[in-house]
Every structure is written in structure tokens, then in C-alpha cells.
Amino acid sequence: MKLARTHTTVSVERALLRMAGLTGADAERIPWVNHLVDAVRDQVGIEHGVALPVWDALVRGEAPDLLTLAQLSASGSVTLRLPEGRDATRAAAAARRAAGAGVRTIDRRRAERDRLVKRLGDPPRRPWIYLIVATGDIYEDIPQAKAAARGGADVIAVIRSTGQSLLDYVPEGATREGYAGTYATQENFRLMRAALDEVGKELGRYIRLTNYASGLCMPEIATLAGLERLDMMLNDSMYGILFRDINPVRTFVDQRFSRQVHARAGIIINTGEDNYLTTADAVEAAHTVTVSQLMNEFFAKEAGLANWQLGLGHAFEINPDLPDSFRLELAHALLARELFPDAPLKWMPPTKHMTGDVFRGYLLDGFFNLAGALTGQSILLVGMMTEAVVTPFLSDRDLALQNVRYVMDAAGGLCEDFHPPRDGFIQTRARQVLAEAIDLLDRIVDDGMLNAIGDGTFGLMKRPADAGKGLAGVAKRAPGYVNPAIDLLEEGATR
Amino acid sequence: MSGAIVRPYGDTTGDGMVQVSFTLPLPHDKRAEGAALQLAEKMGLAPALLVHAKAMGPDFTFFVVYGSVTHLVDVDAVTVVPREFPLLSAKEVNAAIKSPLRRKLLVVGACIGTDAHTVGIDAILNIKGFAGEKGLEYYRELRVVNLGAQVLVPELVERARAERADAVLVSQVVTQRDAHIHNTTQMSAAFREAYPAGTAPLLVAGGPRFDESATAALGVDRVFGKGTTPGEVASFLVHALAPLPAARTP
């Protein structure tokens, strides 16, 4: 935790510039925020934060505004310095004014959501139905997302192009090219938000929009999400480290900032515990899910998120050939429910044991839906029978929604009647997983968090603290570090 | 059985019964149902039986069709890639490496391109393995370096050189617009460029979308498709690499 407060990263600094309203990119589509942060890094270093050098240059009249300054910096025709004394005070005040405007926009977006939810209404029941759209082309995504909402989806997630988490910049503009997903850009966010508002009005229900604040640019993407009124963001404290080999320090620093933004923007985070179960065995590793949920909760609370914003994840990934696999699933799902009674838990469908036998897959998804109903899950990611075969057909999505509707209509209230006996199979198993989780937490406390990650405790992946992608963009903060975005978020101030 | 001709089996030999489902971009009405039957007929279903039609929104209709296909399958004309190597147990693999090579075989594995799905490479490499077989890490005479997902081709080549890899395993699971083919040919070309002719490590590509007969087109030594187990890969590595010294002296 200390790590996150004593370091900064290029992406945190770029997020400040985005909050201050700097947008756009050069002809080669490299964003201006990257140019300006790189210029500061080259000339004075980022350990003091970019706020002082950048707004000092503006106060000195090097350029009339932020955009011009960034453009000049790209051609190398700006001299940046670290101001001292009164110059520093003046630069810090100017930076705070600029960042304050962004924070107030985020506040306005949040108030707008509250208004719309009040007017249009929340989904009629829990769990909320969460559906993924991913064509690579935002203009294809929009009609599909609208169709999904009309078909019963309450939450639309636009999955990102798989390459994006390792890009050290946020692409610009509306995009039509992506692999197995659509790029997260401010313009794509805006287009999809407008489309879902439109269909929400038609349906009389507020349709939530989800994207991903992960990878090397999560502070910036979180900021854009706040500015464009996204409602949920995938945001896991360790996912990038374990599954994308991003440097642990970079991740913890970026995480903290992005979660502070989410807290302020009223965004629900979704954590990625499902991923542990796809790489490790879902029974043996059940306790690592619990540990990760507890850690995600801890990091989230520390960054100012409230219980209602913690979409902690878990998944239905036990091998269906295992005897009692469904009872084990119920035990794990109920454990999460009871440990986090006020969190909007996100329940994720089978992927690992979807074999290509779509008929069996459809049955498995039905059991997944039933487990979700029985254990009172809050957000249900709709499973596709063609998981691991193709990107879902229109008909796959329709069939999947029928499956969910049938189970919820037939058994949605069953969680009221479902109280497994005290010393029965389910409660015993839940206690066992909890005990293993506590053991593991004890070991992590003794060993240190970074060592635990380095040793491969989670998802069987070993990630040392001094390796991984994005390490070059990390700097230890110098005394006198200034970042008005962080100050405003921590103080809860607006100017 | 030679000269065998077969037809699909529904509930009686030779009935030819199959089921298909598909969506047409038409609103659900009589005309759409007629269109579905027309398609079924063109697919070789005669007679075709439209058992289910359902509107999906205002512009699409989903159909389930049963019918007897008119096509015959000539079993003799089927071509498959036969397994060109014997299947060995872990013990036999270790023994086959140990005596002729007198060192461990070094295997570098990675998921290349933007594919972030390591399930395939992990199933083959991780001790945990797949389908009840332990992965290559379990083999005493193999040393495995698993680079994980989204590895860049130059990074893979560099690592393979640094580790003096005997074999490079590349996995592609989720793919769109033939990215798996593009990535794999790019990878094999990079290895050919980086190594003097004939000295590149053994290149193996694997993933559910690969065609096992495409080795030449992909520029690799072996392609493994869906359902491949670690034992098969290990046996192939031994077949391709371990007997080499002996094979060179006729």
C-alpha cells in the first residue's frame, strides 16, 4: 500500500492531463497526453509529478493552452523546468484549477446517472443480466448492444480488443478494427453511452455500460469512464500482474488511482477472480478466490470505494465430471455471498469446461443460472453455449437469454427457501474453503504481498516485483511531488 | 472395411438424418420459413422438416431443421494426417532423451500475437497437464520455459536463442480473421531469418483452429489440433529430436 503512495507512473500523470481536459492525438495517432508526459520525463523527470513543470510552462506563457503546449512539446520546442518558490505555488494552483474542472465533470456525470436511474428505473430484479458485446467495430457493437438490451440485458459490457492492455497509450476516436473486442476510447465510450441511453428510454430501464480499466493505461481509462458516465469497470488489483505480466509496482500504483476515480464517479468495479479458476483447478484453488476477494475489498476500501461498488467476482468453473460438482459450486457461491452481504457480487459462467459440445454447454449454463438464483448473486454474466467455439452468434445470445429468463422465472425466488443444513455437505465445504483462505492469508502476511505474488501463490503464476511490462514508466515520488488530481480525490474537494 | 459408403445415422441405418440450426436476416413469417426450407434443400436435406422457427427481434428469425441428407460419405476418400511417431510413456520419453543426448531437451513455449488465452500452452506445459496426462514440466529430461501470453515474435526468437531451445511451442487459441495463421507464419519466418539454415529449433504450432496438414503452409515442423495431449507432444519431440544423432550416421 505504501508502494502506491510513494510512487507515480506515466499513466497516472497522463490521467491528470486527461482530467484537465487534454484530448486528441497527432497524425500518427499518438495522444497528446503521451507527448507531453514524455517531454516532462525527458527534461525534468516525472518523480515530482508533471503538474508543476506543465502548468509552470503555461503560467510563463510558453503556450496559450494545454493542447498547444503538448503540440509544441511533441516537436521539442518547449523548455520545461521544475519551478521553485512562488513559481511553484502559482503552477500548483493553476494545475489544481484545471484538474478541478475535470473532477466537477465527473461529479456532474454521476448526478446525471442518479437522475436517469430515478427516472427510468433499475432492473426489476436481481441478479442484473450482464451481457458481452464484442465485434471489434463500435458501429456494429451499437445495434448488437441495443438488441441485447431489448432481449433483457441490464448491463452491456464492451469487451476490449485483446491487444489493448499492453498498449502504453489510449487510442483515439471511433474505432472499427479490433481483435476479439473493441478498443476502449473516449469516443467509443461516448457513442455507446448515447446508444444505451436511447434504448434505456425506450425500455423504461437504465441500461448500464461496462468497460475495462486494466492494463498499462488503467488510470487514464478510469478517468475517461468517469467523464463519459460508464457504470461499471473491470478493475482487479492483481489481474494485470498475473495474467498480463505487468510490473507489480506499476499495477498497484495505477490501481489505486483508478479506484479513487471509480469511487468518485460512482462506478461499480468488477474484480477478476474468475481468472484464477481458469488457470488453476477450481476445487483446489477455491480458497485463492476468497483471498483475492478479501484483498480486492481491502484495496478498494482503502481507495474510498463503498460496499455497493464492490462487484467482487467468482465463477462456475468446477469440472462437471467431478461427483457433487454442483454442490461444491453452491458451497463456494454461498460462501462469497455470506462473506460480502452488501457487495454486488458478479457471478461468471463456465468457460474452462465448455468443450464445443454446445448441447451439454447449454445444460451447464442452465445449472450455472440456477446456482446464481439459489445463492442470490447480484450480477450474472450470461454464459454462451458456443463459448470456446466462435464469437457468439446472434442466436446464441438469444438462446442464452432464454435460458436465464426460464431459470429466473421458474426459480428466481428460491434463495429464500435455500438454507443448507449446518453440518451438511455445503456448509462443511464452505467452512473448509474459508479455513484454507485464512491459512493462505497468514502465509501472505508472514511472507509479504510482493513475495507471495513472486512465488506464484495466485493462479500459479510467478511475477517478481522487479520485472514485467511497464516497469520503465514507474518512478519513486520525490519530496514535493504534486498531483492535484490525487489531492482532489483524496480530499473529496471540487476545486 | 474397404469401399465403405456411409450416411448419417438418426435412428435407423441409412436414414441420413441430421439437424441444423441457423438464423436468417428476415422477419418471422411464412416467407421466412419458406426461405429456411429452401436453404435446407440446397444444403442437401430432402425432405427437410422445419421443426422450430422463432423471431429474434424484428429483423431476424432462428430455425431448427431436421432432414435426410442426400449426400453419401466415401470413407476411403477421407484423408487424415496419420501420427508419424510412436506414443511413448513419460519414462520412455525420458530414457529416449537421456542416453543419446546426455543433456536435457529445452522447450520454449508461448502464446503469440494478441491472444491472451494460455489454456492451450498451459495444458501442454504445466505439470498439471490435460486429460489426465501430466504436462511437459513433469518430464525429468525436459526443461520447460513457458513465456505465457501475448509474447512478441522478436521476444520469442531472442529467448529461444538465449536459452538455446531445441523446440519452440506456439499456441493460438482465440483467433479472428485467421490471425492464428498470420501469427504462426510470421513466427516461423522470423526463426528462419534469425538462424542459419537448418539450425533453427523445432517449431511446433498448436491450437483448436489449426489444420494438422498445414505444416508446410505455416512453415513449422508439426501442427497439433484440438484435443492434443502432452504425451503426444512429448513423443513427437523425441521422435523429431532425440534420434537425430543416430540417424545422421547411416
Side-chain angles (χ1 to χ4, degrees), chain B residues 9 16 53 186 210:
Chain B
Y9 185 104
Q186 193 196 355
F210 281 118

Side-chain angles (χ1 to χ4, degrees), chain A residues 31-104:
Chain A
W32 296 121
V33 291
N34 285 60
H35 280 300
L36 191 49
V37 168
D38 287 350
V40 174
R41 180 158 72 164
D42 295 345
Q43 294 188 31
V44 287
I46 61 164
E47 59 272 19
H48 303 276
V50 300
L52 290 180
V54 165
W55 272 274
D56 169 65
L58 288 174
V59 169
R60 281 189 288 125
E62 289 267 339
D65 54 47
L66 208 48
L67 178 61
T68 319
L69 185 72
Q71 287 167 341
L72 290 173
S73 78
S75 58
S77 43
V78 163
T79 317
L80 299 162
R81 58 164 196 171
L82 187 67
E84 287 174 9
R86 284 181 54 187
D87 290 343
T89 316
R90 215 174 301 152
R96 188 173 169 112
R97 268 197 304 280
V103 170
R104 287 197 298 280

Side-chain angles (χ1 to χ4, degrees), chain A residues 315-370:
Chain A
F316 188 94
E317 290 283 17
I318 297 173
N319 183 350
D321 293 334
L322 205 68
D324 289 319
S325 68
F326 188 66
R327 297 168 88 190
L328 290 165
E329 293 285 9
L330 290 175
H332 299 174
L334 208 54
L335 174 64
R337 183 69 286 170
E338 293 191 355
L339 279 178
F340 309 99
D342 302 316
L345 295 182
K346 184 178 177 197
W347 180 227
M348 285 176 269
T351 58
K352 194 178 172 183
H353 299 286
M354 298 297 271
T355 56
D357 178 348
V358 294
F359 304 104
R360 184 173 185 262
Y362 198 67
L363 177 64
L364 205 57
D365 279 335
F367 269 64
F368 157 77
N369 292 333
L370 182 58

